[in-house]
C-alpha cells in the first residue's frame, strides 16, 4: 500500500512539474511574440524619418546649386551611406520579426528560371567587375524551365548569398549554378516525397571560407565569424538567418559547405512543383 501511495505522490509531483513547465513555455512564447511585434512596429516607424534623411542627403550631393563646398558634399555622402546602412539593418530586422510573428506574406507564382538567372547576372556583374572577380550564372541542362515559388523571397535568398560571396572573396570567382536536385539530395534531408521535384541553387566562392565549428552559428541572428570586437567586414549578421527563415517558408532548406581559407558554397533546395508545395502548405496549417 505504501508503494502505491509513493507512486501516486510521484505522479502528482510529475504532473505539477509538467504543468509549471508548460506555463513557462507559454509565457516565453508570449513574450517572444511581444518582442517581435514591437520590433515590427518600431522598424516601420523608423523608416519614415530615415527616408527623408536619405532623400535630402542625396539631393545635397547631387545638385551643384546648393552651394556646398567639397568637404560638405563629402559629409553629405557619409550621411547618405550611413543612412543606407541603417535602412538595410531596419529592413532586415523587419523581415525577421515578420517571420517570427507569422506576418510575412508569401505569394507563390510561376517563376521562369532563365529570366531569374539573367536578372541575377545583370545585378551582380558590376560587383564582379569592381573586385575583378570572375562571375558566372550557370543554368544547367536539367534545370526546371520554371518553378512555382515566391519570386521575391527566392531573390532575396540568392542575393543575400551572393552579397556575402562578393564580400568575403578577394580573388578568384563567384558562381551560381541552377539545377534540379537529385532525388537522393532531398531524401537525405527528409524533405518532401519521392515524387516532388526540387530546385537546387548553389552559390560558390573562392573566398576566405568558414571554419567548420561556425557552420551552424552563422545562420543565427547577429552571428559573424570575426566577432563584434574585431569586425573587419561590414554587415548586420542578419542575412543568413533571414535566408534560413525564407528557405523554410518556401518549403526548403539552405546549407553550407566550407573550410577556412578554401572558399564556401551555399546550397539552397526548394520544391519546384505546385504539388509539393500544396502538401507542405497543408503541413504548415496543421502545425
Ligand atoms: P553579414 O554578412 O551581414 O555579417 P550574414 O548572416 O549574411 O551576415 O553572415 C554571417 C557571417 O557568416 C558573416 O559575417 C561571415 O562571417 C560568415 N559568412 C557568410 N557568408 C560567407 C562567405 N561566403 N564566405 C565567408 N564567410 C561567410
Amino acid at each position: 500500500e505504501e508503494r502505491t501511495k509513493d507512486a501516486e505522490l510521484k505522479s502528482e509531483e510529475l504532473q505539477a512539474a509538467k504543468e509549471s513547465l508548460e506555463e513557462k513555455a507559454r509565457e516565453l512564447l508570449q513574450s517572444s511574440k511581444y518582442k517581435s511585434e514591437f520590433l515590427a512596429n518600431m522598424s516601420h516607424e523608423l523608416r519614415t524619418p530615415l527616408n527623408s534623411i536619405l532623400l535630402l542627403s542625396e539631393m545635397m550631393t547631387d545638385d551643384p546649386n546648393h552651394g556646398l563646398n567639397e568637404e560638405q558634399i563629402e559629409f553629405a555622402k557619409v550621411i547618405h551611406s550611413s543612412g543606407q546602412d541603417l535602412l538595410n539593418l531596419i529592413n532586415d530586422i523587419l523581415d525577421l520579426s515578420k517571420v517570427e510573428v507569422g506576418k510575412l506574406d508569401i505569394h507563390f507564382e510561376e517563376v521562369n528560371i532563365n529570366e531569374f538567372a539573367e536578372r541575377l547576372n545583370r545585378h551582380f556583374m558590376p560587383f564582379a567587375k569592381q573586385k575583378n572577380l570572375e562571375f558566372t550564372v550557370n543554368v544547367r541542362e536539367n534545370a526546371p524551365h520554371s518553378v512555382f515559388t515566391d519570386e521575391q523571397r527566392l531573390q532575396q535568398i540568392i542575393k543575400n548569398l551572393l552579397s556575402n560571396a562578393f564580400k568575403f572573396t578577394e580573388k578568384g570567382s563567384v558562381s551560381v549554378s541552377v539545377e534540379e536536385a537529385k532525388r537522393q539530395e532531398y531524401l537525405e534531408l527528409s524533405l518532401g516525397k519521392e515524387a516532388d521535384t526540387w530546385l537546387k541553387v548553389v552559390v560558390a566562392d573562392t573566398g576566405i571560407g568558414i571554419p567548420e565549428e561556425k557552420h551552424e552559428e552563422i545562420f543565427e541572428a547577429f552571428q559573424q565569424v570575426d566577432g563584434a570586437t574585431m569586425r573587419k567586414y561590414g554587415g548586420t549578421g542578419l542575412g543568413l538567418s533571414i535566408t534560413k527563415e525564407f528557405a523554410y517558408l518556401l518549403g526548403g532548406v539552405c546549407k553550407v559547405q566550407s573550410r577556412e581559407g578554401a572558399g564556401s558554397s551555399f546550397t539552397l533546395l526548394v520544391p519546384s512543383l505546385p504539388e509539393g508545395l500544396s502538401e507542405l502548405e497543408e503541413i504548415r496549417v496543421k502545425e
Side-chain angles (χ1 to χ4, degrees):
E1 202 173 303
E2 211 147 80
R3 251 198 229 152
T4 21
K5 252 204 186 133
D6 257 8
E8 264 169 26
L9 270 177
K10 278 252 157 56
S11 99
E12 268 168 31
E13 268 170 32
L14 272 176
Q15 184 62 22
K18 186 170 161 250
E19 272 164 22
S20 112
L21 266 180
E22 279 171 354
E23 176 67 23
K24 280 249 156 56
R26 263 196 303 277
E27 274 169 20
L28 271 176
L29 209 67
Q30 190 56 35
S31 67
S32 140
K33 258 205 151 145
Y34 284 143
K35 181 211 70 186
S36 301
E37 260 163 35
F38 171 77
L39 281 177
N41 292 337
M42 271 306 275
S43 311
H44 187 75
E45 295 303 320
L46 286 170
R47 272 205 296 202
T48 315
L50 190 51
N51 279 328
S52 314
I53 293 174
L54 281 172
L55 184 72
L56 294 174
S57 57
E58 188 169 32
M59 277 169 64
M60 285 162 78
T61 62
D62 266 2
D63 187 352
N65 293 326
H66 287 305
L68 299 184
N69 65 34
E70 249 172 56
E71 193 184 33
Q72 289 164 330
I73 290 179
E74 276 315 304
F75 288 170
K77 279 185 183 161
V78 176
I79 294 175
H80 188 263
S81 79
S82 308
Q84 192 61 53
D85 289 346
L86 191 53
L87 185 64
N88 292 340
L89 175 62
I90 291 171
N91 283 338
D92 281 357
I93 293 178
L94 188 60
D95 273 344
L96 261 188
S97 46
K98 272 188 182 163
V99 171
E100 279 169 16
V101 291
K103 273 196 188 149
L104 196 93
D105 300 325
I106 39 175
H107 304 283
F108 287 107
E109 59 189 327
E110 195 171 341
V111 180
N112 180 299
I113 286 301
N114 276 320
E115 286 169 14
F116 179 76
E118 184 45 44
R119 270 197 297 277
L120 281 181
N121 197 19
R122 235 179 302 139
H123 186 92
F124 281 96
M125 204 44 104
F127 293 88
K129 292 231 163 85
Q130 199 182 22
K131 288 190 94 173
N132 216 358
L133 296 170
E134 195 190 319
F135 177 52
T136 49
V137 181
N138 192 349
V139 180
R140 307 212 178 255
E141 246 170 56
N142 74 352
H145 181 68
S146 62
V147 298
F148 198 75
T149 189
D150 183 315
E151 178 161 23
Q152 204 201 332
R153 303 305 168 198
L154 180 65
Q155 254 193 53
Q156 258 175 296
I157 292 174
I158 307 298
K159 281 187 176 173
N160 281 346
L161 296 178
L162 273 172
S163 308
N164 281 341
F166 280 108
K167 185 157 77 176
F168 296 107
T169 305
E170 291 310 326
K171 60 176 196 282
S173 64
V174 170
S175 69
V176 185
S177 143
V178 186
E179 57 204 277
E180 185 176 315
K182 291 194 191 74
R183 207 178 132 242
Q184 205 186 334
E185 285 175 301
Y186 58 80
L187 285 182
E188 258 172 31
L189 295 159
S190 15
L191 290 168
K193 294 201 169 156
E194 281 186 38
D196 292 338
T197 59
W198 290 73
L199 175 75
K200 173 175 161 186
V201 185
V202 183
V203 176
D205 66 58
T206 56
I208 62 172
I210 303 157
E212 186 90 40
E213 69 273 14
K214 302 274 180 179
H215 284 189
E216 277 184 29
E217 228 169 78
I218 52 168
F219 286 97
E220 283 162 30
F222 299 111
Q223 292 298 328
Q224 298 177 313
V225 170
D226 62 357
T229 46
M230 40 182 283
R231 198 156 285 165
K232 205 159 65 178
Y233 304 90
T236 60
L238 289 176
L240 284 179
S241 37
I242 290 174
T243 296
K244 181 177 141 192
E245 295 292 345
F246 282 7
Y248 176 73
L249 280 176
L250 299 185
V253 71
C254 179
K255 51 181 187 150
V256 63
Q257 258 183 321
S258 176
R259 265 189 309 129
E260 201 166 8
S264 311
S265 128
F266 285 82
T267 302
L268 174 78
L269 288 175
V270 287
S272 63
L273 269 190
E275 285 92 336
L277 285 175
S278 53
E279 268 166 30
L280 279 160
E281 267 171 353
E282 270 174 33
I283 296 173
R284 292 270 151 72
V285 172
K286 273 192 218 135
E287 280 173 3

